[in-house]
Amino acid sequence: MMPVQRFRNVAFILLAACLLLAPPGARQLFAQSKADEPYEPRAQEAILIDARTGRVLFEKNADLAVPPASMSKLMTMIMVFEALKAGTLTLDQKFRVSEDAWRRGGASSGGSTMYAELNSEVALEDLIKGVVVQSANDACIVIAENMAGSEAAFAELMTKRAHELGATNATFRNATGLPDPGHTMSVRDLAILARYIINTFPEYYRYYSIPEFTWNKIRQQNRNPLLKDYSGADGMKTGYTKEAGYGLIGSALRDGRRLIVVIAGLRSINDRRQEAQSLLDWGFSQFRTMDVYAKGDRVGQARVWGGTARNVPLLVGDDVKVSLTRQEKELADIKLSYTGPLLAPVSNGQKVGEVRFMVDGVAVAEVPVVTGGAVPVENSMWSRAIDSVFIMVFGS
């Protein structure tokens, strides 16, 4: 393990990147920032996190358990996505629409629905689209009944699994988010679940960016306002009940930085849209983007045992670009690690380790380290013996 190089400010980071770590190619690029400006949201509960690291950038009443409305459907989908990944369900699997799902979640209920017909069989992928795009209560009930036998049993499984994922303030009484005194979550819980979906199920997260979905000849638009007019937005879920007010879970990706925002307790659809956009804008403005390495930059050298050369250059296997707040820059470390000494023969471009850019102990960027040349085996027995003595005395 190479020694950790501590960077205490921007100037030192750039100087070290240019002179010590990657003289030929490391470079810097800063965007305009409004860092450290205070933010006061109108939402009663709010949280903004970095999707990659989980770092909380802003929070307000983030652990208060409140009615989450349809935003709790994230957990319904997690149960489905985990079953798909485990192979216990398939996207083309058909689920039957019961009378209870049709009556409590269908058109006659007056709530969000995909208009699934009574006793029809619907493919799981279509039910997923119904939940994600149309916030369909009938689809949620159908999924719960077919996966667990009843919605109540499914809700118990949801609570248990949410706690395992770290959403410890979450208690589910149904699969829909419809009003129930015991059905509560915090905005931190919702952010944790959103990040889990984004990072664990990229193949299913794509459903959250679908702009519209048609079922039973009825076309409905995705209710997430960020998808229409916020640059980089690609998810996730809105919610509303009289008890909960207007809420939204949103995610957007800009310049390699993904943020997740959760807001709740707003008074109108317009307030919800404006608040989500404002908080995301504030979050993105906090970061400065820096190119630390270019692919092929030299980051050190490794000792080679039994080769025609004693050392081989170590190169970065890919570009490293990081976006950091001022606070994160104070906590930044760069770690180069490889297992040495290397044993000849060594191939050119051979992966031998990693470079990690760390913030407060969390890796925010990681790229492979490869050899910058080939080292054949040394045929001389005496040279190999001298190598062995050096390694025993001085290490790698």
Side-chain angles (χ1 to χ4, degrees):
M1 179 72 72
M2 296 292 288
V4 174
Q5 299 171 346
R6 191 73 174 174
F7 296 94
R8 292 297 182 184
N9 53 55
V10 180
F12 191 23
I13 289 177
L14 296 178
L15 181 62
C18 293
L19 299 180
L20 298 178
L21 298 173
R27 57 202 184 280
Q28 44 144 346
L29 173 65
F30 288 107
Q32 294 299 315
S33 173
K34 300 176 183 177
D36 301 330
E37 288 186 4
Y39 185 79
E40 290 296 333
R42 288 174 290 175
Q44 296 300 309
E45 299 85 30
I47 192 169
L48 181 72
I49 69 169
D50 176 81
R52 181 173 52 194
T53 65
R55 175 183 285 275
V56 176
L57 307 177
F58 177 88
E59 61 179 286
K60 175 185 177 182
N61 297 326
D63 294 307
L64 183 64
V66 297
S70 289
M71 294 189 292
S72 70
K73 287 171 179 155
L74 261 63
M75 192 65 223
T76 306
M77 287 296 93
I78 286 174
M79 303 299 287
V80 174
F81 297 157
E82 289 188 334
L84 286 168
K85 195 164 190 176
T88 57
L89 292 178
T90 61
L91 287 172
D92 59 357
Q93 191 166 342
K94 297 292 184 66
F95 284 178
R96 178 180 170 273
V97 180
S98 69
E99 182 174 353
D100 183 52
W102 174 76
R103 194 173 300 280
R104 289 197 301 114
S108 62
S109 69
S112 302
T113 180
M114 67 180 286
Y115 299 97
E117 295 183 352
L118 176 63
N119 294 325
S120 64
E121 293 191 341
V122 183
L124 178 56
E125 185 169 27
D126 291 322
L127 292 169
I128 292 171
K129 292 177 182 177
V131 174
V132 170
V133 180
Q134 301 169 343
S135 197
N137 294 324
D138 50 355
C140 288
I141 299 171
V142 169
I143 288 170
E145 291 176 341
N146 282 268
M147 286 187 66
S150 70
E151 189 178 6
F154 187 77
E156 290 183 8
L157 295 175
M158 290 170 68
T159 300
K160 181 176 182 295
R161 183 61 181 136
H163 290 179
E164 292 171 349
L165 293 173
T168 54
N169 288 310
T171 303
F172 300 95
R173 293 290 183 260
N174 54 57
T176 61
L178 288 171
D180 185 295
H183 190 100
T184 57
M185 301 180 72
S186 69
V187 291
R188 192 186 309 278
D189 293 333
L190 290 164
I192 288 169
L193 300 185
R195 180 172 179 248
Y196 178 65
I197 291 174
I198 291 167
N199 292 339
T200 310
F201 306 106
E203 68 274 36
Y204 303 130
Y205 177 65
R206 62 182 177 85
Y207 290 120
Y208 287 92
S209 63
I210 296 175
E212 62 181 39
F213 178 57
T214 299
W215 188 255
N216 200 15
K217 299 181 180 180
I218 300 172
R219 184 176 67 177
Q220 297 186 69
Q221 302 289 323
N222 194 314
R223 302 178 186 185
N224 183 352
L226 298 178
L227 296 179
K228 297 179 181 179
D229 58 8
Y230 193 81
S231 174
D234 54 10
M236 293 190 64
K237 190 75 187 70
T238 60
Y240 169 76
T241 62
K242 183 178 179 180
E243 294 81 3
Y246 291 88
L248 183 145
I249 305 164
S251 181
L253 179 67
R254 290 183 180 178
D255 298 325
R257 169 76 67 164
R258 177 178 291 281
L259 299 183
I260 298 169
V261 62
V262 186
I263 53 176
L266 288 152
R267 296 182 178 181
S268 71
I269 291 176
N270 192 51
D271 285 348
R272 175 172 66 187
R273 178 183 60 81
Q274 291 180 354
E275 188 71 6
Q277 291 183 350
S278 295
L279 190 48
L280 284 169
D281 283 344
W282 177 86
F284 282 119
S285 75
Q286 301 303 297
F287 298 98
R288 295 176 183 266
T289 301
M290 178 175 63
D291 289 355
V292 182
Y293 296 114
K295 182 178 180 180
D297 283 348
R298 177 170 174 162
V299 291
Q301 63 180 15
R303 184 73 168 84
V304 180
W305 181 88
T308 57
R310 290 185 177 273
N311 301 290
V312 65
L314 297 180
L315 311 180
V316 176
D318 205 349
D319 295 340
V320 180
K321 176 185 287 188
V322 294
S323 299
L324 302 176
T325 65
R326 290 181 180 179
Q327 180 187 14
E328 286 174 330
K329 291 185 177 78
E330 296 294 323
L331 302 171
D333 297 330
I334 293 179
K335 294 184 179 180
L336 167 63
S337 63
Y338 70 93
T339 301
L342 305 180
L343 303 180
V346 175
S347 303
N348 183 38
Q350 178 180 331
K351 182 181 182 302
V352 295
E354 298 84 26
V355 165
R356 296 183 180 91
F357 200 98
M358 313 290 292
V359 174
D360 199 17
V362 177
V364 298
E366 179 177 324
V367 293
V369 169
V370 299
T371 54
V375 181
V377 174
E378 171 59 67
N379 293 322
S380 168
M381 179 182 66
W382 293 108
S383 294
R384 292 200 301 271
I386 292 172
D387 260 358
S388 297
V389 171
F390 268 92
I391 290 169
M392 285 187 293
V393 174
F394 299 108
S396 60

